[in-house]
Amino acid sequence: MIRTATAEDIPRLTDIWRRAATRAHPFIPAGFWASRAEAMARRLAAAEELEVLEVEGRAIGFAALDGDHLEALYIDPEVQSYGHGSRLMAHAMARHARLTLCVYSRNVRAVSFYHRLGFHAVDQRHESEAGEEETLMRWER
């Protein structure tokens, strides 16, 4: 089930984010993610749209959007590769005529995932917090 997040979901979603981001970005020290957990919790709470994927009563992933920009899409590392990310993206894509997102360029798995969904790279830029290059991607219906 995909549902709108509540304030009670934020600690669980922040934990999913931290664990999934650490796993997805081995080129960034794990401490980077841990040091940003409180800031991420605030960002999630402030997101215009925060959709939670719940299975058997447990949140296993989420998508955070501000307008037509996907700010975050994370799935619990314990249940990745079962189509949950695709399910959340299909939900977001059904509700928007266009979406943009930024992804670390070295996160080849994520870049490939978004390409498979029809996103195209439109720009490269340097993200100063992590010191990494990121790719701006866009999708339109």
Side-chain angles (χ1 to χ4, degrees), residues 12-101:
R12 169 82 178 140
L13 302 183
T14 303
D15 179 61
I16 289 171
W17 164 81
R18 183 191 50 76
R19 290 183 296 110
T22 300
R23 180 178 180 183
H25 308 105
F27 47 88
I28 298 173
F32 175 85
W33 305 108
S35 71
R36 285 160 176 77
E38 287 183 30
M40 184 56 155
R42 288 190 300 275
R43 285 181 60 200
L44 291 175
E48 287 179 24
E49 290 179 55
L50 182 56
E51 302 294 326
V52 174
L53 176 58
E54 193 175 87
V55 174
E56 297 178 0
R58 182 174 180 222
I60 63 163
F62 67 91
L65 294 101
D66 284 325
D68 290 336
H69 188 75
L70 180 70
E71 294 288 342
L73 174 75
Y74 286 94
I75 303 297
D76 189 320
E78 295 175 15
V79 294
Q80 288 180 358
S81 300
Y82 292 100
H84 300 304
S86 295
R87 186 170 166 200
L88 274 169
M89 285 304 298
H91 181 76
M93 293 164 84
R95 297 170 58 146
H96 294 266
R98 71 187 56 81
L99 289 171
T100 59
L101 59 87

Side-chain angles (χ1 to χ4, degrees), residues 89-130:
M89 285 304 298
H91 181 76
M93 293 164 84
R95 297 170 58 146
H96 294 266
R98 71 187 56 81
L99 289 171
T100 59
L101 59 87
C102 290
V103 59
Y104 289 120
S105 302
R106 290 204 288 170
N107 186 349
V108 176
R109 184 175 180 208
V111 172
S112 296
F113 169 76
Y114 293 119
H115 276 297
R116 284 192 309 274
L117 294 175
F119 283 79
H120 302 287
V122 294
D123 198 11
Q124 287 281 127
R125 61 186 180 199
H126 185 77
E127 193 274 314
S128 60
E129 282 189 32

